[in-house]
Amino acid sequence: MNNDFIYFLGTGGSRHVMAEQLRSTGGIYFQVQGVKGIIDPGPGALTAMLKALPPLRPEELDGIILSHGHIDHCNDVNLLIDAMTRGGLEKRGILWAPEGIIGGPDQVLFNYLKPYLQKIEVLQGKSNYRLGNLTFSTSGVHRHGMETYGFSFDLPAGKLSFLTDTAFYPELTREYQGARWLVINLVLEKNCGGAQHLDIDGVARIIRAIQPRTAVITHFGKSILHRGPEQVAARLQRETGVENIIAAVDGQKIPL
Ligand SMILES: [Zn+2]
């Protein structure tokens, strides 16, 4: 028995849900293989960490991983770097992000925070990275209008994958094949306008093909919240044959 878990700082995604804070948008905290980190700290990540019981301490974070530079995925990254390093008093922590977040015209990371970090590593597709005892890999570039990656953690009990924002494309099922836990961003009920997000049909195709032991849907847009994420999870169970499908809620801890 280990103490590994993921914790949902937020389960909201997309502009409307973020602006109205219908769900929190803080992304996912993880504690695995003795390391502590966050994937996609959107607005409210720090607040949600401190509100957790017991609180998740930002100064204990080992790393931050960003899938891409949309504001609902990265808004709190500067704040967390400041908190993680005690305002730069302690040089520590690693940031992983696509290149455009770290430099260039759409840079998200404040320059003055860069020296606070122990390391900044630019993410590339289908590559491997290490954080203490944890190794993880990136997917290929997702279809999402800007450079975006998903992540797969190698854990002793199996693969933990985070399938972040993307339009559906068939190779996704190959890229995340073998996931024992599949956390998947489900923004839309039905993708009618060619939005670069997954909808219920796309998520069903992916889960059916991958057959994870546990699938977790999160990052809900307004149409999913309107439909009811639990109802959507029940429908996905029927359509995919995967029994354990969880509709994540804010503040939910899932042991691994
Ligand atoms: Zn996005």
Side-chain angles (χ1 to χ4, degrees), residues 29 33 36 38-39 52 60 74 79-80 102-103 130 138 145 164 171 173 189 201 209 215 231 234-235 243 248 255:
Y29 175 93
Q33 298 283 92
K36 299 172 181 177
I38 289 192
I39 295 178
E60 292 176 7
C74 67
L79 186 60
L80 283 173
I102 294 157
R130 173 173 277 280
T138 46
T164 59
E171 302 87 77
T173 58
E189 183 182 13
D201 286 343
Q231 274 73 23
R235 174 178 154 190
E243 270 178 37

Side-chain angles (χ1 to χ4, degrees), residues 48-125:
M49 284 181 74
L50 298 174
K51 274 172 121 177
L53 291 172
L56 303 165
R57 309 300 313 181
E59 62 272 20
E60 292 176 7
L61 285 171
D62 298 300
I64 301 170
I65 306 174
L66 301 185
S67 67
H68 66 296
H70 285 149
I71 193 168
D72 53 332
H73 294 255
C74 67
N75 183 75
D76 274 14
V77 66
N78 289 303
L79 186 60
L80 283 173
I81 291 168
D82 193 84
M84 175 168 77
T85 61
R86 301 176 195 267
L89 285 176
E90 244 184 286
K91 189 180 177 78
R92 57 186 299 277
I94 306 180
L95 173 71
W96 283 275
E99 195 168 19
I101 286 178
I102 294 157
D106 296 322
Q107 181 177 340
V108 171
L109 175 62
F110 292 160
N111 279 323
Y112 82 90
L113 294 173
K114 289 182 178 177
Y116 294 9
L117 290 159
Q118 182 195 332
K119 189 157 96 173
I120 299 171
E121 210 167 348
V122 173
L123 290 173
Q124 285 173 332

